[in-house]
Every structure is written in C-alpha cells, then in structure tokens.
Amino acid sequence: MSDTPFGFGLPPEEPENGDEGKKKGNQGGQGGPNPFGFPGMGLPGGAGGPGGADNPFAAMFGSMNPNDLGAAFQQLGQMLSYEGGPVNWDMAKDIARQTVAQGTADGVKDSSVGIAEKSAVEEAVRLADHWLDGVTSLPSGATTAVAWSRAEWVEATLPVWKELVDPVAERVGAAMGGVLPEEMQAMAGPLLGMMRSMGGAMFGQQIGQAVGTLAGEVVGSTDIGLPLGPAGKAALLPLNIEAFGKDLSVPADEVRLYLALREAAHARLFAHVPWLRSHLFGAVEGYARGIKVDTSKLEDVVGQLDPSNPEQLQEALQGGMFQPQDTPEQKAALARLETALALVEGWVDAVVHEAAKPRLASADAMRETMRRRRASGGPGEQTFATLVGLELRPRRLRDASRLWASLTDARGVDGRDGLWEHPDMLPTASDLDDPDGFVHREQLDFSEIDKMLGEAAQKRDQGGQGPQGGTGSDSGSASDSDSDSDSDSDSDGEGETKK
C-alpha cells in the first residue's frame, strides 16, 4: 500500500515532484509526525515554484499553466470559506473520487461492475451464508449482497470514516485553538477562523487521498474488522478481488467464495451483537478524548512565528508542532480496541476456516494468506493507524483464533457464540495468553450465573402476581428484593473472579 498518512503523518512526495520534490522533502523535518501537513493539492505541477511541497501555496500555483489557475483559486476559496466541522468532508469526497479515477500504481483503472460480476458476488455470498449456517449459531446478517466499484466503495464508506475521524480531528483542533491566551484569542479571532478553515480542508484532503488509495486495495467492506458499509449489506469489490488473487495460484471462484465467507461472517457478528459496533467506535472516541498536546512547545513556537511567512508556519507544522502525546487514557482505550478487534477477527478466522476446510481445497492457503496480510500491516490496518493515530496489533489474531477454536471444542458452537451476549463475557487481553484457562474457568462460572439469574427472575414474576396491599405481600416483596440483591452481589462476585 502506498503510504498516504493523514491526521498524524507526514504527507508523501507526489511522483511528479521528481528529484526536486525528494530534495525538498528531505529538508522538511521528516523526523516527527505532522497532523496538519500541506500535501500537494492534486493539481498538475503541484510542487513547482519556490517552496515546492513545503509551501501549500507554491504547491498550488507553482509551474501551473493558465488553464489550471481557475481550479486552483476555486480550491483555495473552498479552503478559506469552509465553516463546518473539524474535517471538510466535501473536499475529502472529491479528492477520494479523483484518486480513484487516477487508478492504482499498477495502472488498473476503476470500472463499473457488470451484470456477470454482480451475479457472481450474489451467488458467492448466498453460498457462503449457507455454509456458515452449520458452523455458527448467529443467523445471517446480510439482507443483500452487493458488488461495488472502487468509487461506490468510497461513497458507501465515507459516513463511517467521518464517525471515526471527527473525534480525533476535533480534539487536535481544540488543542490547536486553545494554545493562545484568552486575550490573544480575541485579537486573533479572524486568523484563528482562517486556521480552522485551513485545518478542516487539510484534514479533508489527506483523508480523501488515503480513502481513495485504500479503495484500490480493499476487497470488501470489513477489511479492517470494522463495519465500514451500510448495515445488512455484504459488499465485495470484484476488480480488487481479481488483483488480490492474481498471484495466489487459486481458482478465481474459490478466492471470491473465501472472501465472501469472511464478509458474511463479519455481517453476522455486527448484525446480531448489537453492542459491538458502539463498543469499537467508543474506544476510538475514548482515544480521542485522551489526546493532549504539549502546550509549552506550542507557546514557544507560536511566539516565534511570523504570520506573513507561510513557509515558517509549514516548517513548524512539520517539526511536530501539534504532535499529540501518549496519555494513560489513550493507552487504555487503545488496549480495549486492540483486544476487541482481535476477538472479532479471531472469531471470523475460526468460523470461516471451519466452514471452508471441508469444501475448499485452498482453505489452508487462503487462511494463511489472509493472516499474513493482516499481520504485516495490510492496507486496512495501515490506513486506520494513520487515520486516527492508532497502531493496531494484528498479531493477536492468531491467539484469538486459537481461543475461539478451543471454546468450540469445549463448549460447542452455541457456548462459543453465547459469549457475544455482553462485552463483560468476552475474554480479556490476558485471557488470550491462556486460552485453556479461560475456557475452563468461564464454563463453570456461566452455568452458575445462568442458574442464579433464572431463579431471581422466577421470584420476581411470582412476587408481581401476589395480592395487593397485604402485609404478607409486602413482606414477601422485601424478601424477594433481598434475594435479588444477594443474587446480584453473587453474580458480580463471580464476574470479578472471572476477570
């Protein structure tokens, strides 16, 4: 995958920059992350003229022919007039579509999905869902199967990217605006407004470039373990599936079917575990809330800036002026997200392998290919990491898959899938290190908890049917209440022992 960082990374040099662009890039302080970089604006001759890629205005206007000048001024006007949230999503969408239209590095251009490809995807998802019925208690989660072009993937997933990115961009932007003393903020109001507009546009541009690049590599809507597409839709990208299977020596229909199994398995999990999506996205928001910026460094840099010198501001930005610091809150949120994603991907890996192994000769090879793709920081993981500043740990995928397999052997399909009923029932990060211990301990605890909860519910039902207003009824209610309280206390105690 091409490294197109945004939010927390330095923008890469555009290929057309040539040697001059590389030279400029080496002078721009590449040692630190750059949350508000000024990459080229995606226009011809983007790095020409004084300042090259280090100067956003030179990148827009240098070495530009007159026919491009109007488009450049229009884009600049959009940047300065933007008054929305922390990210200019209109610009992000436009640039993502432009990136897709340019094609991938191997020269493959996007194309509309034909009728034959749509039928092949629909049939693959239908068959995959049928195979999954025998290996999981979760029913089908895909009401429709769709075949997307790259451009359609961009359109369909942008709302979810917005949900992921906005909390992080909001926090970084707030830190940026809050560094000035209150009296200076009042004096610099117009300048701060312009900076917010520029920041939203720059975030939008970088996000658009990254999402557009990712659209050339993903094979479905769940590549990063998160539900990027609309609920109920199992989506595959035929053009990218063809590129993915090109060097695998596996028949094309088997590649498509294996990837359909993974997409359909994800769909089941996110459709029938109602808390899972909010749990994952809540961890991202928790990470964003923990973002803090070194204000002392900001104050020093701001005090030395010359507002009339945009190159000086750009150098400060590239030097890590707004680099977020790790905080305990961020680390805790990151740990929750990493563990949850490992459990999601491990469950999908185990379930898909169980369904594919007896039916596909390539099941083992495809499984290993997908595992290596994840472990090596595939396109999904890399883009997500640069998007929100989170480094995922796909190495836990194998540990989680082994744990789910052990649960299947020990408790059966229903017992394994029953753990998704509540987040507190799932294994923790330490449980991934000792799957056998978790399986043994959890099986005993849950049988006792189920029994106590059933008895408590039965007592509540009986108490609600008693006579009204009687002394005996009041006494019985109090007794039931005490019993329920004891049961709850015991349940909590069991849960703490479990953890």
Side-chain angles (χ1 to χ4, degrees):
M1 169 182 175
S2 59
D3 187 10
T4 314
F6 53 102
F8 291 89
L10 283 170
E13 298 294 347
E14 297 293 335
E16 60 266 28
N17 288 353
D19 294 336
E20 181 181 354
K22 293 179 181 179
K23 182 178 179 181
K24 287 290 183 182
N26 292 335
Q27 296 172 356
Q30 295 188 15
N34 173 20
F36 291 100
F38 289 86
M41 301 304 293
L43 298 171
D54 291 339
N55 184 339
F57 301 103
M60 291 178 66
F61 303 120
S63 300
M64 184 179 296
N65 65 60
N67 294 330
D68 297 322
L69 199 56
F73 275 115
Q74 182 180 5
Q75 197 164 27
L76 178 60
Q78 291 176 352
M79 293 175 67
L80 297 179
S81 63
Y82 176 69
E83 296 180 352
V87 178
N88 188 331
W89 287 102
D90 290 336
M91 179 173 285
K93 178 180 176 180
D94 290 343
I95 292 177
R97 293 294 299 263
Q98 293 170 15
T99 304
V100 165
Q102 293 172 2
T104 52
D106 57 4
V108 177
K109 300 281 187 179
D110 191 23
S111 61
S112 299
V113 179
I115 296 177
E117 292 173 319
K118 291 180 180 179
S119 298
V121 167
E122 291 172 356
E123 176 61 20
V125 173
R126 184 198 63 77
L127 184 57
D129 250 341
H130 176 67
W131 288 0
L132 290 172
D133 285 338
V135 296
T136 175
S137 61
L138 298 180
S140 174
T143 56
T144 57
V146 293
W148 283 340
S149 66
R150 294 166 179 172
E152 288 172 326
W153 183 89
V154 169
E155 295 278 355
T157 62
L158 269 179
V160 180
W161 290 118
K162 184 178 188 299
E163 190 174 350
L164 285 169
V165 176
D166 270 352
V168 179
E170 185 74 47
R171 283 293 299 142
V172 174
M176 175 181 176
V179 65
L180 295 176
E182 187 174 348
E183 59 275 11
M184 291 185 64
Q185 289 188 25
M187 296 174 58
L191 177 60
L192 290 176
M194 185 180 71
M195 291 181 68
R196 281 191 292 268
S197 297
M198 293 285 288
M202 288 183 289
F203 262 122
Q205 185 191 356
Q206 294 181 0
I207 292 167
Q209 289 175 341
V211 171
T213 301
L214 183 59
E217 299 167 327
V218 294
V219 295
S221 67
T222 56
D223 279 30
I224 63 173
L226 293 172
L228 296 180
K233 285 189 177 181
L236 295 176
L237 283 72
L239 185 62
N240 293 354
I241 290 177
E242 181 182 354
F244 173 80
K246 185 177 180 180
D247 299 322
L248 294 182
S249 300
V250 175
D253 57 341
E254 289 195 19
V255 173
R256 180 171 54 248
L257 184 51
Y258 190 88
L259 296 176
L261 280 167
R262 290 185 53 84
E263 183 76 6
H266 278 103
R268 289 181 182 232
L269 201 55
F270 286 111
H272 299 291
V273 183
W275 56 264
L276 182 56
R277 187 182 191 278
S278 60
H279 181 74
L280 292 169
F281 284 66
V284 176
E285 293 179 3
Y287 177 87
R289 286 194 298 270
I291 289 178
K292 290 181 174 59
V293 176
D294 186 351
T295 55
S296 61
K297 182 177 181 180
L298 276 175
E299 291 168 358
D300 292 341
V301 174
V302 169
Q304 300 173 9
L305 287 179
D306 178 3
S308 65
N309 187 350
E311 290 188 22
Q312 185 183 12
L313 174 61
Q314 175 65 8
E315 291 173 1
L317 290 168
Q318 289 184 334
M321 177 178 175
F322 298 113
Q323 180 180 352
Q325 298 175 313
D326 287 335
T327 65
E329 295 86 353
Q330 285 177 291
K331 292 178 180 179
L334 176 58
R336 290 196 302 272
L337 182 63
E338 287 176 345
T339 301
L341 284 175
L343 292 174
V344 167
E345 289 300 284
W347 183 88
V348 168
D349 178 79
V351 167
V352 167
H353 187 68
E354 189 176 353
K357 177 68 173 176
R359 300 176 175 94
L360 295 179
S362 60
D364 289 332
M366 289 296 301
R367 184 189 204 187
E368 189 61 27
T369 297
M370 292 304 300
R371 283 181 165 186
R372 290 182 178 180
R373 188 172 187 252
R374 297 299 308 274
S376 62
E381 288 82 6
Q382 290 183 18
T383 298
F384 186 72
T386 53
L387 176 63
V388 295
L390 296 174
E391 287 291 342
L392 305 181
R393 297 180 182 179
R395 68 176 182 272
R396 304 297 294 185
L397 163 63
R398 294 178 185 268
D399 298 332
S401 183
R402 282 194 294 269
L403 186 145
W404 289 119
S406 297
L407 282 168
T408 306
D409 294 339
R411 303 180 60 185
V413 169
D414 291 342
R416 177 200 66 198
D417 294 347
L419 292 177
W420 291 105
E421 291 180 3
H422 192 276
D424 289 344
M425 298 170 68
L426 288 178
T428 64
S430 59
D431 291 325
L432 294 178
D433 298 326
D434 182 21
D436 292 335
F438 173 83
V439 170
H440 178 71
R441 184 171 64 251
E442 288 298 295
Q443 189 172 10
L444 294 176
D445 288 348
F446 280 131
S447 62
E448 294 298 322
I449 291 174
D450 290 342
K451 180 180 178 181
M452 287 187 291
L453 291 177
E455 292 175 352
Q458 184 178 10
K459 290 180 180 179
R460 281 195 298 269
D461 293 341
Q462 292 174 350
Q465 297 174 0
Q468 297 180 357
T471 303
S473 175
D474 293 341
S475 176
S477 297
S479 176
D480 288 345
S481 175
D482 292 342
S483 178
D484 291 350
S485 175
D486 292 341
S487 296
D488 292 340
S489 176
D490 291 343
S491 297
D492 292 342
E494 292 287 344
E496 292 172 0
T497 302
K498 170 184 74 174
K499 297 297 180 184

